[in-house]
């Protein structure tokens, strides 16, 4: 049984808890916090305690309409796209500063909203978000079209224009990071936007909106409308006056987004969907480090990461020792209150997720996989699950094919590199992959052979502001991060005019 | 009335024998599994040219299997880019050697002008292939700066098996515009030519094999949209679809992709492109550009400048010159080198255009010239110009896809920009002025993917080309087009003791 920090059950010492007051719970439209038109609100729950944190205004279609009008006005007539890139940059840099000044409170919001580790939010996730913000701020004045060579007497060039009003729909597993990886490049490009945070985690998004205004982002440029997928989200995807949509979430909803876009105004969409990413560990790996990496790959953020390495393939030469080390480490993993600096894994984000994960664990047992460790809830309050590892998994089992989005790993053995590649690619997904080896040829061959958008060699979860990130196959299309991401928010315009008497062609 | 050439002089061209009428799958010409065939019609005579094998879902399945094997195991993606380039260059040569035959195929299939096909379009297609052949070994990822001790780079990988659906208005250019970058990138292809114009596509497939493109890399399956086309869009093993055609079908393509395996799509759809003529324009030149802008290729072109806005200072003189030129335009058999406009592609288009003309009259626009069918055989329509139009009229908002122009006056530059953008489309636009400031301001203000200043239809292999708004997304031509057929893979690994960061 995994170790518990003493907050999951009986009495606890709350000296490390820093519950923030919730200052922002309304829709942020056109620079103001307003009630939804219907007046409805919804609860946002703390997954540590299963209790209500606050009620948040619930945006619906009519609120999205107003937000889009504000964003349209701000784009077509407002200052934002008409500012030089360097001026947009200054405002975005100021926003990054304000975020850093308020980082305790923001980190706490994501902890009580999403069950994420407080120290991690504060030391890693929110700083990564501000790094991305600064990265794109610095890019705002470096968006270049091309002057073309031309086959005849013409002067032709491309302009990279902001696409217009963008709809962003972000998930609950990394509320701060996903907010900024979408908002930063689109703002830098000169777009205006309507963002719907996940209904599970609306709080930090609203705080960011407040800070955006303080930083000087003009009214109407950034609108944040909390609400639910089938209402507010669908309204964004099918809006006739939104020019592009960027979505991160599940495959099922990704389909809806693309269909709604097709049915409405044929707006381009980019989708970052799920994953069932493979981690391949070769014979020459340092077993202890590899086991460490594999465990981290599945338990980081309680497995609620699209790039989790939920399928681990270990070469037979080191398999037995690896399995032993992995289980040892899993059993000493600390599951507990995410404010407790000793905890390594907090609660799953909500009841839905908890039940889904437990159900997959039952499936795994029924399908005949061997449960090496874990498999149960932890304590009786809060959505805590033990780190869970299955071995003797067959590739066509549901637990090897479906994205579980929890702390559940499928462990498999392989003989040859070719086998490993084939197994790695035996999935409808294609988001990330990891390779553990020091052999240069293996690293190069395997990295080119796995059909996935991100390949980590001797590391995992290494993201950087300039590393493009996105899926192959049914993990979606389009890239976040890197200069690549700007393209989702820009449109190419070609301008051509004849020239006369040019001294060269 | 527009000038009409009185039938054709048979000695000036050779009707081609139609050699290729079957599906081209895995390097062979084969019958469709159902055995069904469909007729392809000559719009000059309304008669059947030949029957062509009709591909449906089961044939697409076989083609995709061949393309998948060719991609996952075959030589094509595994060749260095330069070698793909050599084979494609050979293909371009073979096309040039057969230019007359191919030109004739497109002329009888689509009613397009033979001399333009032979002198312009088909050689242009060969050149486009060469452009991408030369790009095949210049597809670069990037090595990233990385903020920490990591070595990270992007690979631009071929996306895999690509589905291409092309329209009937420019069968050759559309074919190579999509096939060439996909091949250069290392992808394999299942292409469905338009059911109206399958013939040249099959010929190109034959020449591709002769050039050395391996079996399974390029598959051409003629058939209908609702069967073969739909099968491509909803196929679970096609990695990407690129479509050019109508907005209505574009919606179906995107929905089918969303419903099946969430394959990315790119869509090049319709247009109702504005041409803005300012006071300082040379009236004669401007009228020439305007006329050509709407009746080039009998108006069957997505970027047709079908809405012409003329500044009031020169409006009257412009209208006069325009109508003069329209009345002198020669409509007739596309094999006759004197002819400037051939027949519309088929009965359906023909009837649709005539119906729009009736709409225009009913809506109260003034018919300046044209408006009627020519002769009683073949789908010939007079160059047609409406003036006194209001922007919400159907003839001003809908894409007509025929030789029908709407003409309107404007006062100020701001008015012109507002009118130009008053459309759900956003494909192309034209500006006629020598004033630098007007040119720069207006080109940035029109929401369209292509802006032509003092010219129209200026295409180039390296000019990216595609829509804003409901004209679609994604770009054809230019190095930009390669991105549709590539996927970005990021590779990251820690480094130690780097002397710099």
């Amino acid at each position: 049984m995994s170790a518990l920090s003493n907050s999951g059950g009986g009495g606890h010492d709350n000296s490390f808890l820093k519950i923030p007051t919730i200052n922002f719970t309304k829709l942020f439209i056109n620079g103001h916090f307003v009630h939804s038109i219907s007046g409805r609100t919804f609860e946002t729950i703390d997954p540590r305690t299963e209790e209500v944190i606050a009620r948040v205004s619930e945006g619906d279609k009519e609120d999205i309409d107003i937000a889009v009008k504000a964003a349209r006005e701000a784009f077509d007539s407002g200052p934002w796209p008409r500012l030089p890139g360097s001026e947009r940059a200054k405002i975005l840099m100021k926003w990054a500063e304000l975020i850093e000044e308020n980082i305790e409170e923001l980190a706490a919001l994501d902890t009580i909203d999403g069950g994420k580790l407080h120290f991690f939010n504060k030391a890693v996730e929110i700083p990564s978000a501000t790094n991305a913000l600064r990265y794109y701020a610095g890019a705002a004045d470096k968006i270049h079209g091309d002057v073309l060579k031309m086959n005849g007497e013409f002067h032709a060039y491309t302009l990279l224009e902001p696409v217009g009003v963008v709809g962003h729909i972000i998930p609950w597993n990394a509320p701060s990071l996903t907010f900024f990886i979408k908002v930063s490049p689109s703002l830098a490009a000169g777009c205006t936007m309507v963002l719907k945070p996940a209904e599970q985690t609306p709080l930090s998004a609203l705080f960011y909106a407040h800070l955006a205004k303080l930083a000087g982002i003009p009214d109407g440029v950034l609108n944040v409308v909390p609400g639910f997928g089938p209402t507010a989200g669908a309204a964004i995807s099918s809006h006739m006056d939104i020019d592009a949509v960027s979505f991160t979430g599940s495959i099922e909803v990704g389909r809806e987004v693309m269909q709604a876009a097709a049915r409405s105004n044929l707006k381009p969409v980019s989708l970052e969907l799920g994953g069932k990413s493979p981690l391949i560990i070769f014979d020459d790996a340092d077993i202890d480090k590899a086991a460490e990496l594999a465990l981290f790959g599945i338990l980081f953020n309680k497995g609620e990461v699209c790039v989790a390495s939920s399928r681990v393939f270990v070469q037979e030469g080191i398999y037995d020792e690896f399995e032993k080390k992995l289980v040892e480490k899993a059993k000493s993993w600390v599951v507990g209150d995410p404010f407790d600096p000793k905890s390594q894994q907090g609660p799953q984000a909500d009841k839905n997720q908890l039940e889904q994960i437990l159900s997959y664990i039952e499936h795994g047992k029924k399908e005949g996989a061997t449960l090496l460790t874990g498999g149960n809830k932890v304590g009786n309050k809060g959505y805590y699950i033990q780190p869970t590892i299955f071995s003797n998994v067959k590739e066509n089992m549901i637990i090897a094919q479906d994205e579980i989005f929890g702390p559940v790993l499928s462990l498999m053995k392989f003989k040859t590199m070719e086998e490993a590649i084939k197994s790695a690619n035996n999935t409808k997904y294609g988001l990330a992959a990891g390779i553990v080896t020091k052999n240069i040829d293996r690293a190069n061959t395997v990295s080119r052979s796995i059909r996935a958008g991100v390949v980590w060699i001797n590391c995992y979860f290494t993201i950087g502001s300039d590393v493009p990130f996105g899926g192959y196959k049914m993990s979606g299309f389009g890239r976040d991060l890197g200069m690549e991401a700007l393209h989702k928010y820009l449109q190419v315009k070609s301008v051509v005019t004849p020239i006369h008497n040019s001294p060269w062609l | 009335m527009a000038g009409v050439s009185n039938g054709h002089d048979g000695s000036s061209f050779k009707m081609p024998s139609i050699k290729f009428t079957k599906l081209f799958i895995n390097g062979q010409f084969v019958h469709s599994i159902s055995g069904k065939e469909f007729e392809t019609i000559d719009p000059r005579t309304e008669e059947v040219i030949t029957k062509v094998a009709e591909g449906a879902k089961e044939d697409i399945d076989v083609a995709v299997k061949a393309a998948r094997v060719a991609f996952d195991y075959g030589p094509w993606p595994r060749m260095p880019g330069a070698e793909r380039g050599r084979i494609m260059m050979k293909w371009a040569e073979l096309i040039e050697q057969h230019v007359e035959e191919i030109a004739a195929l497109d002329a009888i299939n689509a009613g397009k002008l033979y001399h333009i096909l032979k002198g312009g379009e088909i050689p242009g297609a060969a050149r486009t292939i060469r452009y991408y052949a030369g790009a095949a070994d210049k597809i670069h990822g990037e090595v990233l700066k990385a903020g920490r001790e990591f070595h990270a780079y992007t690979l631009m990988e071929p996306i895999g098996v690509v589905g291409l659906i092309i329209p009937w208005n420019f069968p050759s250019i559309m074919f190579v515009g999509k096939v060439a970058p996909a091949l250069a990138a290392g992808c394999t292809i299942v292409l469905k030519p338009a059911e109206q114009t399958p013939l040249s596509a099959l010929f190109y497939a034959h020449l591709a094999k002769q050039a050395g493109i391996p079996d399974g890399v390029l598959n051409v399956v003629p058939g209908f949209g609702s069967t073969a086309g739909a099968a491509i869009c909803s196929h679970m093993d096609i990695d990407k679809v690129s479509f050019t055609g109508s907005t209505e079908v574009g919606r179906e393509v995107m929905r089918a992709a969303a419903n099946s395996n969430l394959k990315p799509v790119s869509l090049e759809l319709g247009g109702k492109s504005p041409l803005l003529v300012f006071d300082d324009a040379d009236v004669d030149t401007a009228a020439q550009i305007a006329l050509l802008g709407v009746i080039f290729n009998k108006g069957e072109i997505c970027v047709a400048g079908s809405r012409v806005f003329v500044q009031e200072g020169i409006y009257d003189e412009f209208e006069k010159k325009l109508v003069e030129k329209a009345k002198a335009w020669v409509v007739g058999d596309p094999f006759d080198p004197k002819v400037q406009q051939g027949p519309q592609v088929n009965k359906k288009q023909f009837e649709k255009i005539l119906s729009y003309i009736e709409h225009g009259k009913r809506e109260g626009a003034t018919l300046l010239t044209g408006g009627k069918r020519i002769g009683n055989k073949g789908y010939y329509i007079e160059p047609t110009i409406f003036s006194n139009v209001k922007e919400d009229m159907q003839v001003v908002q809908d894409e007509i896809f025929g030789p029908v122009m709407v003409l309107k006056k404007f006062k100020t530059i701001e008015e012109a920009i507002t009118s130009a953008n008053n459309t759900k489309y956003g494909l192309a636009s034209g500006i006629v002025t020598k004033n630098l400031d007007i040119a720069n301001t207006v080109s940035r203000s029109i929401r369209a993917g292509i802006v032509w200043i003092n010219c129209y239809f200026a295409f180039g292999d390296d000019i990216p080309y595609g829509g804003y708004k409901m004209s679609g997304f994604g770009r054809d031509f230019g190095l930009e087009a390669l991105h549709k057929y590539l996927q970005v893979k990021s590779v990251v690994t820690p480094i130690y003791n780097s002397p710099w960061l």
Side-chain angles (χ1 to χ4, degrees):
Chain A
M1 190 174 79
S2 57
L4 279 180
S5 88
N6 61 357
S7 60
H12 43 256
D13 165 12
N14 291 338
S15 58
F16 49 72
L17 291 178
K18 296 162 231 237
I19 313 288
T21 35
I22 312 300
N23 292 314
F24 306 104
T25 56
K26 302 208 284 254
L27 318 182
F28 183 76
I29 298 182
N30 210 16
H32 296 95
F33 284 99
V34 293
H35 288 291
S36 61
I37 289 183
S38 66
R40 287 207 308 270
T41 57
F42 65 100
E43 296 174 342
T44 186
I45 311 278
D46 184 339
R48 305 170 305 138
T49 59
E50 302 176 43
E51 283 158 17
V52 178
I53 306 168
R55 295 198 76 91
V56 175
S57 292
E58 185 188 329
D60 204 320
K61 183 180 182 310
E62 52 272 9
D63 306 288
I64 295 293
D65 283 342
I66 296 185
V68 172
K69 277 199 180 67
R72 172 55 64 198
E73 180 71 29
F75 184 79
D76 283 358
S77 319
W80 190 249
R82 292 159 184 75
L83 285 175
S86 56
E87 300 274 332
R88 285 197 288 279
K90 277 167 74 171
I91 294 173
L92 297 179
M93 295 285 193
K94 177 72 185 161
W95 193 18
E97 255 181 64
L98 291 174
I99 290 166
E100 280 160 354
E101 285 167 20
N102 289 274
I103 197 168
E104 274 297 325
E105 186 168 352
L106 287 160
L109 286 177
D110 278 351
T111 295
I112 59 175
D113 225 358
K116 296 165 68 65
L117 300 178
H118 182 255
F119 80 86
F120 175 81
N121 292 342
K122 192 175 153 188
V124 182
E125 192 169 318
I126 296 176
S128 295
T130 51
N131 281 344
L133 181 56
R134 289 199 166 93
Y135 177 83
Y136 288 107
D141 57 356
K142 302 175 181 68
I143 294 174
H144 305 140
D146 285 325
V147 177
L148 306 170
K149 193 82 172 87
M150 291 312 286
N151 217 2
E153 291 196 282
F154 286 94
H155 171 59
Y157 55 89
T158 54
L159 293 168
L160 298 191
E161 309 200 321
V163 74
V165 175
V166 177
H168 293 303
I169 301 175
I170 61 174
W172 45 261
N173 61 335
S176 292
L177 189 61
T178 54
F179 184 98
F180 283 97
I181 64 180
K182 291 196 192 295
V183 166
S184 314
S186 43
L187 286 178
C191 295
T192 60
M193 57 211 66
V194 177
L195 181 144
K196 184 195 94 60
E199 56 270 26
Q200 296 87 340
T201 54
L203 301 178
S204 56
L206 293 170
F207 199 131
Y208 289 126
H210 161 75
L211 296 176
K213 178 152 182 167
L214 286 185
I217 287 179
D219 290 353
V221 172
L222 170 65
N223 303 276
V224 178
V225 182
F228 291 82
T231 46
I236 288 175
S237 306
S238 38
H239 207 284
M240 292 301 287
D241 203 22
I242 285 179
D243 299 301
V245 166
S246 181
F247 169 85
T248 293
S250 70
I251 283 189
E252 294 69 39
V253 183
R255 277 192 210 289
E256 298 295 314
V257 170
M258 193 167 168
Q259 285 217 46
R263 268 198 301 269
S264 55
N265 66 343
L266 284 159
K267 54 175 82 56
V269 306
S270 45
L271 306 176
E272 203 261 273
L273 309 175
K276 193 72 182 182
S277 305
L279 174 63
I280 304 178
I281 300 174
F282 287 90
D283 267 345
D284 66 326
D286 173 310
I287 296 174
D288 196 79
K289 288 208 179 83
E292 194 73 47
L293 198 67
L295 195 64
F296 187 58
I298 189 61
L299 301 184
F300 172 64
N301 201 48
K302 45 241 175 59
E304 291 166 354
V305 195
C306 41
V307 289
S309 58
S310 43
R311 295 181 297 142
V312 176
F313 299 93
V314 182
Q315 205 162 22
E316 50 177 14
I318 55 163
Y319 182 88
D320 293 334
E321 200 190 334
F322 178 93
E323 194 197 87
K324 189 157 150 282
K325 281 225 164 3
L326 185 68
V327 172
E328 238 172 68
K329 292 177 189 293
K331 287 188 190 302
S332 58
W333 199 252
V334 181
V335 180
D337 189 291
F339 278 104
D340 184 342
K342 286 195 312 318
S343 296
Q344 290 167 299
Q345 178 184 325
Q348 308 306 132
D350 68 5
K351 189 162 202 250
N352 241 345
Q353 289 305 116
L354 174 87
E355 291 177 346
Q356 195 182 260
I357 297 161
L358 291 175
S359 149
Y360 270 116
I361 292 174
E362 288 316 302
H363 260 298
K365 294 186 204 159
K366 274 203 295 280
E367 291 181 297
T370 304
L371 183 64
L372 291 179
T373 181
N376 298 310
K377 266 188 77 167
V378 175
N380 43 26
K381 192 159 81 125
Y383 308 126
Y384 298 89
I385 299 183
Q386 296 174 325
T388 301
I389 302 175
F390 282 103
S391 67
N392 294 322
V393 177
K394 298 216 177 352
E395 287 182 34
N396 57 359
M397 287 182 181
I398 292 191
I399 56 167
Q401 287 293 327
D402 284 13
E403 182 180 42
I404 297 175
F405 226 61
V408 181
L409 190 156
S410 289
L411 185 59
M412 289 168 269
K413 197 188 300 192
F414 73 91
K415 251 198 187 67
T416 65
M417 179 176 75
E418 291 71 24
E419 219 187 288
I421 290 168
K422 200 145 173 278
S423 298
N425 285 332
N426 182 13
T427 165
K428 68 189 177 197
Y429 292 106
L431 193 46
I435 305 169
V436 182
T437 184
K438 293 290 185 178
N439 182 292
I440 190 171
D441 291 332
R442 242 184 238 148
N444 282 331
T445 298
V446 178
S447 58
R448 280 165 185 247
S449 306
I450 300 185
R451 308 277 293 150
V454 183
V455 177
W456 287 303
I457 304 176
N458 297 328
C459 57
Y460 210 79
F461 291 139
T462 311
I463 58 169
S465 299
D466 63 345
V467 181
F469 177 94
Y472 276 39
K473 297 154 66 173
M474 287 180 77
S475 289
F477 45 87
R479 293 292 177 266
D480 285 316
L481 293 176
M483 293 298 278
E484 199 65 36
L486 288 164
H487 292 286
K488 296 193 304 195
Y489 310 112
L490 297 166
Q491 258 179 320
V492 175
K493 173 187 277 178
S494 295
V495 184
V496 187
T497 185
I499 47 172
H500 313 284
N501 303 322
S502 174
W504 58 268
L505 274 187
Chain B
M1 189 176 81
V4 179
S5 94
N6 55 358
H8 42 261
D9 166 5
S11 62
S12 59
F13 71 96
K14 297 191 291 274
M15 278 296 288
S17 56
I18 311 299
K19 304 191 189 91
F20 307 106
T21 57
K22 301 208 287 250
L23 318 182
F24 184 77
I25 297 182
N26 210 16
Q28 317 288 334
F29 283 100
V30 294
H31 289 291
S32 62
I33 290 180
S34 66
K36 285 204 335 245
E37 298 179 299
F38 65 100
E39 295 174 342
T40 186
I41 310 278
D42 184 340
R44 306 170 303 145
T45 59
E46 303 175 42
E47 285 160 14
V48 176
I49 306 169
T50 184
K51 280 169 135 35
V52 173
E54 183 187 329
K57 183 181 181 311
E58 52 273 12
D59 307 287
I60 295 295
D61 283 342
V62 177
V64 172
K65 278 202 180 64
R68 173 55 64 198
V69 171
F71 184 80
D72 284 358
Y73 305 105
W76 191 247
R78 290 158 185 76
M79 269 181 217
E83 279 184 40
R84 285 197 288 279
R86 300 254 303 268
I87 293 174
M88 290 170 67
M89 295 281 191
K90 177 75 185 161
W91 191 27
E93 249 183 75
L94 291 173
I95 289 169
E96 281 161 349
Q97 286 165 17
H98 291 84
V99 72
E100 281 186 15
E101 186 168 356
I102 301 174
L105 287 177
D106 277 353
I108 61 175
N109 223 178
K112 294 166 70 64
L113 300 180
Y114 177 75
H115 60 274
I116 290 191
L117 288 164
K118 182 180 158 184
E121 233 176 273
I122 314 294
R127 212 182 43 231
T128 298
I129 292 175
R130 289 200 166 90
Y131 178 84
Y132 288 107
D137 56 356
K138 303 175 183 67
I139 293 173
H140 305 141
E142 287 181 318
V143 176
L144 306 168
K145 194 80 173 82
R148 300 175 275 163
E149 290 195 281
F150 285 95
H151 172 58
Y153 55 89
T154 52
L155 293 168
M156 310 271 277
E157 308 202 322
I159 196 170
V161 175
V162 174
L164 304 176
I165 301 177
I166 60 174
W168 43 261
N169 59 340
F170 284 85
S172 291
I173 294 196
M174 292 291 154
F175 184 96
V176 306
K178 292 196 192 296
V179 168
L183 287 181
C187 294
T188 60
I189 297 167
V190 177
L191 180 144
K192 184 195 93 61
E195 56 270 24
Q196 296 87 342
T197 54
L199 300 179
S200 57
L202 293 170
F203 200 118
Y204 288 125
H206 160 73
L207 295 178
K209 177 153 181 163
Q210 281 192 341
I213 286 178
D215 291 353
V217 171
L218 171 63
N219 303 278
V220 178
V221 182
F224 291 82
S226 48
T227 47
I232 286 175
C233 301
S234 36
H235 207 285
M236 294 300 288
D237 203 22
I238 285 180
D239 299 303
K240 155 95 200 193
V241 166
S242 180
F243 169 85
T244 294
S246 71
T247 296
E248 294 68 42
V249 182
R251 278 192 210 289
E252 294 305 316
V253 170
M254 192 166 167
R255 294 183 61 180
N259 262 334
S260 54
N261 65 344
L262 284 160
K263 55 175 81 53
V265 306
S266 43
L267 306 176
E268 204 261 274
L269 309 176
K272 193 72 182 184
S273 305
L275 174 68
L276 306 183
V277 182
F278 287 87
D279 268 346
D280 69 325
D282 173 299
V283 176
D284 195 81
T285 307
Q288 189 68 17
I289 290 179
L291 190 64
L292 191 69
V294 79
I295 58 186
F296 176 63
N297 202 49
K298 46 243 178 56
E300 290 165 355
I301 180 164
C302 42
V303 291
S306 43
R307 295 181 296 141
V308 177
F309 299 93
V310 182
Q311 205 162 22
E312 50 178 15
I314 54 164
Y315 181 88
D316 293 335
E317 199 193 336
F318 179 94
E319 193 196 85
K320 187 157 152 285
K321 280 227 157 27
L322 182 69
V323 171
E324 239 171 65
K325 291 178 189 292
K327 289 190 189 302
W329 200 252
V330 181
V331 181
D333 188 290
F335 280 97
D336 183 342
K338 283 193 317 318
V339 161
Q340 294 164 301
Q341 178 185 326
Q344 309 307 132
V345 74
N346 67 5
K347 188 166 204 247
K348 189 158 161 235
Q349 288 304 116
F350 177 75
E351 289 176 345
K352 186 168 165 223
I353 297 160
L354 290 175
S355 147
Y356 269 113
I357 293 173
E358 288 317 300
H359 262 299
K361 292 188 205 156
R362 270 204 302 275
E363 290 181 300
T366 302
L367 183 64
L368 290 178
T369 181
K372 294 196 290 303
R373 177 187 195 163
I374 298 177
N376 45 25
K377 193 159 83 121
Y379 307 123
Y380 298 93
I381 297 182
E382 298 178 316
T384 300
I385 302 175
F386 283 105
S387 65
N388 292 326
V389 294
K390 298 210 177 2
E391 288 183 29
D392 56 0
M393 285 181 181
Q394 254 188 288
V395 288
V396 180
Q397 288 294 326
D398 286 11
E399 183 181 41
I400 297 175
F401 226 62
V404 182
M405 175 198 295
V406 295
L407 183 61
K408 193 167 186 259
K409 199 186 301 191
F410 72 88
K411 251 199 187 69
T412 65
I413 178 178
E414 290 73 24
E415 218 187 290
I417 290 168
T418 304
S419 296
N421 285 333
N422 182 12
T423 166
K424 68 187 178 197
Y425 291 110
L427 193 47
S429 58
I431 305 170
V432 184
T433 182
K434 294 289 188 182
N435 182 294
L436 183 66
D437 292 335
I438 291 178
N440 282 331
T441 299
V442 178
S443 58
R444 279 165 185 247
S445 305
I446 299 185
R447 309 276 295 152
I450 311 145
V451 179
W452 285 304
I453 304 176
N454 296 329
C455 58
Y456 211 79
F457 295 139
F459 295 112
D461 289 320
D462 60 344
I463 304 178
Y465 172 95
Y468 277 38
K469 297 158 62 175
M470 287 180 77
S471 290
F473 46 86
R475 292 292 175 266
D476 284 316
F477 297 94
L479 292 177
E480 197 67 35
L482 287 165
H483 292 287
K484 298 196 306 204
Y485 308 112
L486 296 166
Q487 255 179 324
V488 175
K489 172 187 277 177
S490 297
V491 184
V492 187
T493 184
I495 47 170
Y496 306 96
N497 303 322
S498 175
W500 57 267
L501 274 188

